Amino acid sequence: MRNKIVKFGSSLALLAVAFYFAARDIDTSHISQTIRQLSPAFFLAPTIAIMVSSLFAALRVRSIARSIGYPLTFRDSIAVVSLGQLGGALFFQIFGQLMARGSYLTRRNVPFAGTVIITGQERIAAALVSLSLAVVGALYLFHQLSFDLTAGGLDLIRIVIGLTFAIVILTVVWREHVVKAASSITWADTVGVFRAIAFSTAVQVTMLTAYVTAAKALAPACELTDLAAAATLVMFAASIPISFAGWGVREMSAVGALGTIGMSAPAALTVAVTIGALSIICATLLAAVSFTRSKKPIDVPKRGTPEIGARHDAVLSATLPILVACLVFFQIHVPTNTTAINFNVADPFTIICGVLFLLQAWRAGAPKWRISGLELHILACTAIMTIGLFIGAAEIGFTTWAVVNKYLGWFVLLAYGAAGAMAARVDLEKTLLTFAATGCAVVVFAIADMLLGRFGVVNAHFFNGFAQNSNAFAFLCLMMLAVGLTMKRYMLTVTTLALIAIVLSGSRAGMGAALVVLVTASFLIPGIWRDVIMSFTLAALSIYSLTLGGTLTLGGKSIVETMTFVRPSSDAEHWTTVKDGLQMFLANMVWGAGLGRFIAQWTGAYPLIIHNSAVWILAEFGIVGAIAFISPVIRIAAQEFARFRNNDAAGYLLILMIAGFGAMSLFHELLYQRVLWFLLGATLIVVKKPKVSTEPPKKMI
């Protein structure tokens, strides 16, 4: 009895926290008057529909789980669905879902890899059905589908084309593995896919019923078909995993979609909030019911579960890190009702890689790294970040920038390192080839886009690939240049395109850092200086040709003006951040001023960070923090330089990365660039083996 009370109380606590996040993300003042006019009968039909939708979702989970070797009971499936929904309300949807589901399914002999595969198949099936319904709804309402090229439509087309190129490259580089995986698909697998789509259709239709019944009660004059068509758009927007269980996105889309058929904004908001709140309440009730009696782990054959789990773990460990190497080039901005969410397409896969890496280390022990004591360095830096967070909070409180962007972002960076290490375990050479080939495709696409803009086919914009920022794109290409200089094949192509992109981006810091990398490689890698001169010459000739002799405008200036242009206001602000950062350090020399303190106290027209990585570390973490962050870099550089010209590809790449990062970070804060940590993980996991002498032993006299 006591366990039941505790579990039910836990569910209520989760419900309260979920409603806290919901109330924080929406403006409830617009719906208070409408809510007071509602009767209890208003909630009955939507509640029944949501309950039925949840039961169909449980059937979908059970079907997928059984098809891959995990025979869940229906009660377990209900618990998985409800806990996953509550987890998505407490944290970003996909991650919260995986954490909540993984915690439950682990006790049902389902490993985390199995949870990921079940959830992945479920979300893919749901996305296909939701998108199809949304397309039908849009066609019904607007009689056509169109893109406003001036309001984000062209950016969407660019991203779709870029991602298509990336997937094609991934398929070509890993074609043997792709063919092997495709040949293993059976008829039963195909049937399972269609079964998941059928259950997803039932889930969507019943949820659509909940929206329509609620909306019809508030807007009886609206036609049912119009309400259903508009609701499909709201459901699709809410399903995009960029928020807490759809809160905020659902409300914004409801006002827009339901408003097109004549529903007032307060009524549309009421519908959206009602569906969101009832969904969480139903999930809480179902979770409580699923815990009404204790369940022993399901009876799965002892030989089957470990074998199935190990196979799924191996599949994810070999697939997700390679996806990260390919998708790290794609940064996306998604607008919401309050701001724009900035995320990398590789982030979800990276976080899963981080969890898998930790689980593997827990089972098999810590991996052997290229430098000893790397885990201690990571723990020290994490401790510094934690101390800095509380020091900053003591002065300015817990800000979103400090907690989410920087502190939680630190763990995302570590996950990128883990993803790189997992990718290198699969095949370091192919991983670097995947990264370099994707980078080459992005550069070629950016060049084509630039030329189309020059001739008026599309709107001209800055040369930044898919990074949304010219300096960030330059750093990506700088790391691509470093990778290319260590490759046995395609080196000339990769390095030439990387140099072209760095120059066309207009990043002066990137250009200077590229020269540092080229000089370092010429000094360090035997016989490479001829290739360096060749790639430099080809890049210069290509740039001259592409810019029509230097006259092509980029952002309103010729390429020559871009390379030599002095930006007085921008440069002054950047140097001011460095000066103010140093002053902050002098005032807080030992432990620093605290995480997020600088940007919170910046008095400029718009937020700015310190444009120097070393100064940022000194300002917010002090001398102690600087020692923690810089000491592993010094150790790595000293170890690899000691090998001089007798190193392997991983060692050369480490030195070139450090040289490029050190040069460019003098003018920009680059510690949080994802690609840096992915490549660090990929190279540090490669332990250089000492050469075994083939000479016969000398005879002792």
Side-chain angles (χ1 to χ4, degrees):
M1 182 66 182
R2 181 178 300 175
N3 289 336
K4 294 180 182 179
I5 296 175
V6 171
K7 291 174 180 177
F8 189 75
S10 300
S11 297
L12 290 178
L14 291 174
L15 177 63
V17 175
F19 274 123
Y20 165 76
F21 282 113
R24 189 187 64 173
D25 290 339
I26 62 175
D27 184 3
T28 57
S29 61
H30 292 287
I31 63 173
S32 59
Q33 183 177 359
T34 306
I35 289 179
R36 285 196 295 267
Q37 299 173 355
L38 299 177
S39 63
F42 166 80
F43 300 100
L44 180 60
T47 301
I48 294 174
I50 292 172
M51 279 288 191
V52 174
S53 178
S54 299
L55 295 178
F56 276 123
L59 290 172
R60 178 178 60 191
V61 166
R62 187 179 67 166
S63 173
I64 294 173
R66 290 189 172 187
S67 68
I68 62 174
Y70 304 113
L72 295 179
T73 65
F74 187 56
R75 183 185 294 272
D76 288 331
S77 301
I78 291 175
V80 168
V81 170
S82 56
L83 291 176
Q85 190 167 351
L86 290 175
L90 296 174
F91 198 54
F92 287 109
Q93 287 184 16
I94 184 65
F95 310 127
Q97 254 192 353
L98 287 175
M99 288 188 292
R101 290 181 169 192
S103 175
Y104 181 85
L105 287 176
T106 299
R107 294 175 292 168
R108 296 297 186 265
N109 293 335
V110 179
F112 181 72
T115 302
V116 173
I117 292 176
I118 293 170
T119 304
Q121 291 190 21
E122 181 188 22
R123 294 194 72 90
I124 291 173
L128 289 174
V129 174
S130 182
L131 177 60
S132 300
L133 290 176
V135 169
V136 173
L139 287 173
Y140 178 83
L141 287 178
F142 309 114
H143 307 294
Q144 63 177 353
L145 290 178
S146 61
F147 290 99
D148 187 349
L149 298 182
T150 62
L154 187 58
D155 291 334
L156 177 61
I157 294 173
R158 287 189 179 110
I159 290 170
V160 170
I161 294 174
L163 288 173
T164 302
F165 284 163
I167 297 302
V168 170
I169 288 170
L170 193 68
T171 304
V172 171
V173 175
W174 298 87
R175 55 186 174 276
E176 298 90 352
H177 298 78
V178 173
V179 171
K180 183 178 179 181
S183 62
S184 65
I185 297 176
T186 64
W187 176 250
D189 296 329
T190 305
V191 172
V193 170
F194 284 105
R195 189 185 299 115
I197 292 175
F199 280 127
S200 296
T201 303
V203 170
Q204 294 290 325
V205 170
T206 48
M207 182 59 72
L208 182 63
T209 303
Y211 273 96
V212 171
T213 53
K216 186 65 175 177
L218 292 176
C222 294
E223 296 291 335
L224 285 175
T225 52
D226 292 342
L227 290 172
T232 60
L233 303 180
V234 180
M235 290 164 56
F236 175 71
S239 68
I240 300 175
I242 59 172
S243 64
F244 295 91
W247 289 105
V249 178
R250 176 174 46 241
E251 285 67 40
M252 179 182 68
S253 59
V255 172
L258 294 174
T260 60
I261 60 174
M263 183 177 289
S264 65
L269 274 173
T270 302
V271 171
V273 172
T274 298
I275 298 300
L278 289 178
S279 297
I280 294 178
I281 292 172
C282 290
T284 304
L285 293 175
L286 288 173
V289 169
S290 65
F291 287 135
T292 52
R293 58 190 179 93
S294 60
K295 296 283 292 179
K296 296 180 180 179
I298 55 177
D299 186 17
V300 182
K302 293 183 178 180
R303 293 182 180 179
T305 297
E307 293 175 358
I308 294 172
R311 185 169 69 248
H312 291 159
D313 189 81
V315 168
L316 293 182
S317 298
T319 305
L320 298 184
I322 308 305
L323 282 173
V324 174
C326 185
L327 299 178
V328 72
F329 286 91
F330 297 90
Q331 195 79 13
I332 294 179
H333 292 277
V334 178
T336 66
N337 59 327
T338 55
T339 183
I341 296 175
N342 182 14
F343 71 99
N344 192 285
V345 178
D347 284 350
F349 307 105
T350 302
I351 294 174
I352 295 173
C353 285
V355 176
L356 287 173
F357 187 85
L358 288 176
L359 292 175
Q360 291 169 1
W362 179 267
R363 292 193 299 263
K368 187 176 181 181
W369 299 97
R370 198 174 180 92
I371 63 168
S372 60
L374 182 61
E375 294 90 350
L376 296 178
H377 285 296
I378 294 174
L379 288 174
C381 291
T382 303
I384 290 297
M385 293 287 293
T386 305
I387 294 170
L389 175 66
F390 284 98
I391 291 176
E395 297 293 332
I396 59 174
F398 290 102
T399 64
T400 301
W401 175 263
V403 176
V404 178
N405 294 58
K406 289 300 182 182
Y407 188 72
L408 294 181
W410 166 251
F411 295 98
V412 175
L413 295 179
L414 294 180
Y416 269 92
M422 294 172 70
R425 283 174 173 173
V426 178
D427 192 322
L428 176 62
E429 184 177 354
K430 277 193 173 183
T431 296
L432 296 181
L433 178 59
T434 301
F435 172 78
T438 306
C440 289
V442 170
V443 171
V444 170
F445 178 83
I447 291 172
D449 196 25
M450 176 192 73
L451 295 176
L452 290 175
R454 171 66 177 83
F455 296 108
V457 179
V458 298
N459 293 332
H461 60 96
F462 290 106
F463 192 92
N464 55 23
F466 300 99
Q468 309 292 339
N469 179 278
S470 296
N471 288 306
F473 184 57
F475 185 74
L476 272 167
C477 294
L478 183 67
M479 295 296 102
M480 175 181 155
L481 174 65
V483 169
L485 289 168
T486 63
M487 294 175 65
K488 297 178 181 179
R489 298 182 298 165
Y490 314 114
M491 181 180 69
L492 200 60
T493 301
V494 174
T495 53
T496 300
L497 286 173
L499 287 172
I500 292 171
I502 291 170
V503 173
L504 293 181
S505 71
S507 171
R508 294 166 296 170
M511 297 176 206
L515 288 177
V516 171
V517 170
L518 290 175
V519 172
T520 304
S522 301
F523 173 73
L524 201 65
I525 305 176
I528 203 176
W529 62 271
R530 296 182 183 86
D531 296 310
V532 168
I533 292 175
M534 179 64 72
S535 63
F536 188 88
T537 303
L538 288 174
L541 293 174
S542 300
I543 292 168
Y544 185 83
S545 301
L546 287 170
T547 59
L548 307 179
T551 60
L552 176 61
T553 58
L554 297 171
K557 296 178 177 61
S558 71
I559 186 62
V560 176
E561 291 173 329
T562 300
M563 294 171 63
T564 59
F565 180 63
V566 177
R567 309 167 178 86
S569 60
S570 176
D571 291 345
E573 285 182 334
H574 291 179
W575 285 116
T576 300
T577 63
V578 175
K579 182 186 69 174
D580 291 353
L582 288 173
Q583 291 177 349
M584 181 174 285
F585 162 64
L586 293 175
N588 307 271
M589 294 184 64
V590 179
W591 292 101
L595 186 61
R597 182 87 172 271
F598 182 87
I599 196 170
Q601 296 183 347
W602 175 256
T603 58
Y606 52 90
L608 272 183
I609 59 175
I610 299 174
H611 278 63
N612 182 298
S613 295
V615 174
W616 171 68
I617 291 173
L618 285 169
E620 298 200 344
F621 303 113
I623 294 175
V624 177
I627 293 173
F629 278 98
I630 296 174
S631 58
V633 179
I634 295 175
R635 285 191 61 204
I636 293 170
Q639 174 179 284
E640 302 306 330
F641 266 115
R643 291 167 177 154
F644 196 49
R645 297 194 168 193
N646 187 29
N647 214 332
D648 56 3
Y652 289 135
L653 181 54
L654 276 169
I655 296 177
L656 296 181
M657 287 166 54
I658 292 172
F661 170 79
M664 194 169 176
S665 67
L666 292 174
F667 308 98
H668 298 282
E669 205 297 284
L670 300 173
L671 188 65
Y672 274 67
Q673 291 297 313
R674 296 166 174 84
V675 63
L676 173 69
W677 293 86
F678 179 81
L679 293 177
L680 279 174
T683 48
L684 288 175
I685 199 68
V686 179
V687 179
K688 181 171 170 43
K689 298 179 181 179
K691 289 186 177 181
V692 179
S693 176
T694 58
E695 296 180 2
K698 295 182 180 180
K699 294 182 179 180
M700 300 296 293
I701 299 176

